[in-house]
Amino acid sequence: MEIKAIRGFNDILPDEIGKWQFVEKTAREVFEGFGYSEIRIPILERTELFSRGIGEATDIVEKEMYTFSDRSGNSLTLRPEATASMARAYLEHQLYNIESIAKLYCIGPMFRYERPQKGRYRQFYQIDAEVFGVGNPMVDAELIIMLIHFLNSVGLEKLELQLNTLGDRACRPQYREGLRKYLEGKAFQLCEDCKRRLETNPLRVLDCKVETCKQAIADAPKVTDFICSECQKHFDSLKEYLETAGLAYILNPRMVRGLDYYTRTAFEVVSYQLGSQNAVAGGGRYDNLFQEIGGKEIPGIGFAIGMERLISLLPEGKQFVKHPDLFIAALGEAPSKEAYRIVNQLHLEGIRAELDYEGKSLKSQMRRADKLKARYTLILGEEELKRGRAVLRNMENKSQEEIPLQDLIDSLRKKSFQIEQSGL
Ligand code: AMP
């Protein structure tokens, strides 16, 4: 039986990879311009990092983690998100001793045992950015501005920034209780999951997609009716900073996000072109996460962008697939050897060049050059080679010229190839 990939795990094939590389390159450029440094963290962590960090009563920890015992009996989990691991690395390597504020980003796969559908996979990629060590709402605004700027830089428009506050340790318990009391009166309308959530995590009911639950929360109290003056001040300043920067947002008092560690700021970037899984990115502040995982009190804020969703939104028409700059069609033994020598030299010069390995006819070599969408073809026959020359054909306008072989690289460069000097 042919072995297939696991459900919800995708291959990213060569004809799609140009988009991924473009997005990753742009993220690195934009984020580094904002003062962020890349960090790479393991894909596997001890399970308790996530159960304590993300929260026992979240969907992720309750039912979506890939958890298993290793051969020594340790419980390990494939990371479902990156923030907890980044916070762990920051504590473990005492990065706060180097500089109290750390701006970090990371790109890589995450794993959640969710029901696969369009825009939702079991292995999916995220671009994460986090700022540790500062609680000032100015940083919340700066991070959100960077996110929107990045999404615009890759060509995404018509996005909606949704904003909410979730309160903090001082005021969230009151909201939780207020919401629980309200929902108790509506329990008959709630799905089985939400009946359970009523006790464990009533805020999650606000996020439920079941129609009767949506109806039940229609008149639910809002977090903004409960938050303390400190949280209100933080929220007001954030809104002001965003307005000063000319960034439009809409308030969504129902947005709770799926992870328990959020405090105060929560945000999502939504695209209505995406269908039901419409969040391209989400994030928020988490001023208690570090304590949950055994550290001191360190404030933090961050976001994660879903790369598959982002890539599905990229505008059409941009050229992502790379084609050869040159194809060498050689006829005969000596020209074929010369073609091999030239191609190697071009590769060392950073020029994308291809040749025929199978001794095919000129016609079929030209067909392959066409298929590969090579920009130029060098036609090399016995006669030309003896004179140290070859025919260079522009595959787009079909014009041809004979050039001395020793001038090949110069000729290609003059034709405005994007060649990176290799220093050879
Ligand atoms: P979260 O880590 O849940 O806050 O999600 C942040 C972003 O990651 C979301 O806005 C999505 O774009 C993306 N995302 C989350 N879960 C999945 C999934 N199962 N498949 C694909 N993308 C996802």
Side-chain angles (χ1 to χ4, degrees), residues 370-382:
D370 257 338
K371 205 167 161 193
L372 291 172
K373 296 202 170 70
R375 293 179 64 192
Y376 288 87
T377 300
L378 190 75
I379 303 161
L380 197 59
E382 302 272 4

Side-chain angles (χ1 to χ4, degrees), residues 342 378-381 384-385 388-392 401-405:
I342 299 172
L378 190 75
I379 303 161
L380 197 59
E384 288 94 344
L385 184 59
R389 300 176 79 85
V391 173
L392 187 63
E401 60 183 312
E402 203 181 272
I403 57 160
L405 276 177

Side-chain angles (χ1 to χ4, degrees), residues 113 179 371 389 418:
Y113 195 80
L179 187 63
K371 205 167 161 193
R389 300 176 79 85
Q418 304 293 315

Side-chain angles (χ1 to χ4, degrees), residues 3-225:
I3 299 172
K4 297 267 171 59
I6 308 166
R7 194 160 114 89
F9 286 64
N10 297 318
D11 297 308
I12 302 159
L13 300 176
D15 67 342
E16 304 160 79
I17 209 74
K19 292 184 178 180
W20 289 75
Q21 290 172 340
F22 162 72
V23 167
E24 288 170 6
K25 182 167 171 279
T26 311
R28 290 194 162 90
E29 281 166 9
V30 170
F31 293 1
E32 292 189 11
F34 275 74
Y36 287 66
S37 305
E38 184 168 356
I39 179 170
R40 298 193 189 189
I41 43 172
I43 283 175
L44 268 184
E45 297 272 5
R46 290 187 183 280
T47 302
E48 58 180 328
L49 174 69
F50 302 116
S51 49
R52 275 163 48 187
I54 299 172
E56 294 280 3
T58 55
D59 281 359
I60 294 181
V61 173
E62 271 182 355
K63 51 188 185 192
E64 294 173 1
M65 295 205 302
Y66 279 90
T67 297
F68 60 93
S69 295
D70 71 4
R71 288 171 194 275
S72 314
N74 301 309
S75 177
L76 304 181
T77 293
L78 279 170
R79 63 179 184 200
E81 57 106 52
T83 309
S85 304
M86 280 157 90
R88 179 205 45 73
Y90 176 80
L91 290 175
E92 190 167 335
H93 304 285
Q94 297 171 358
L95 297 183
Y96 44 82
N97 283 338
I98 303 168
E99 164 69 49
S100 65
I101 300 174
K103 296 183 175 182
L104 304 169
Y105 74 90
C106 136
I107 303 176
M110 309 295 153
F111 305 85
R112 293 183 198 170
Y113 195 80
E114 294 193 87
R115 199 168 51 79
Q117 54 177 281
K118 190 169 177 293
R120 193 198 271 169
Y121 311 102
R122 289 180 171 171
Q123 174 178 324
F124 58 96
Y125 283 76
Q126 284 188 338
I127 303 177
D128 281 80
E130 317 283 343
V131 186
F132 299 150
V134 50
N136 190 326
M138 197 186 277
V139 163
D140 304 30
E142 191 186 83
L143 179 100
I144 294 173
I145 290 166
M146 178 173 89
L147 169 61
I148 302 294
H149 176 60
F150 163 68
L151 294 173
N152 291 336
S153 301
V154 294
L156 264 57
E157 285 165 357
K158 296 199 199 112
L159 300 169
E160 187 174 279
L161 169 64
Q162 299 188 354
L163 207 59
N164 193 18
T165 179
L166 298 174
D168 64 6
R169 272 185 182 157
C171 55
R172 191 149 70 196
Q174 279 91 294
Y175 177 51
R176 210 183 127 106
E177 194 42 33
L179 187 63
R180 201 185 58 77
K181 279 207 181 106
Y182 166 87
L183 289 171
E184 252 173 13
K186 303 270 176 188
F188 64 97
Q189 267 179 286
L190 299 180
C191 70
E192 286 310 309
D193 268 347
C194 283
K195 279 194 186 120
R196 202 169 36 80
R197 286 174 182 141
L198 205 55
E199 293 310 321
T200 56
N201 199 351
L203 263 69
R204 300 286 306 143
V205 178
L206 297 179
D207 219 18
C208 185
K209 303 282 181 285
V210 176
E211 208 41 53
T212 51
C213 298
K214 281 192 197 166
Q215 288 162 9
I217 60 159
D219 300 315
K222 294 184 176 137
V223 63
T224 35
D225 303 332

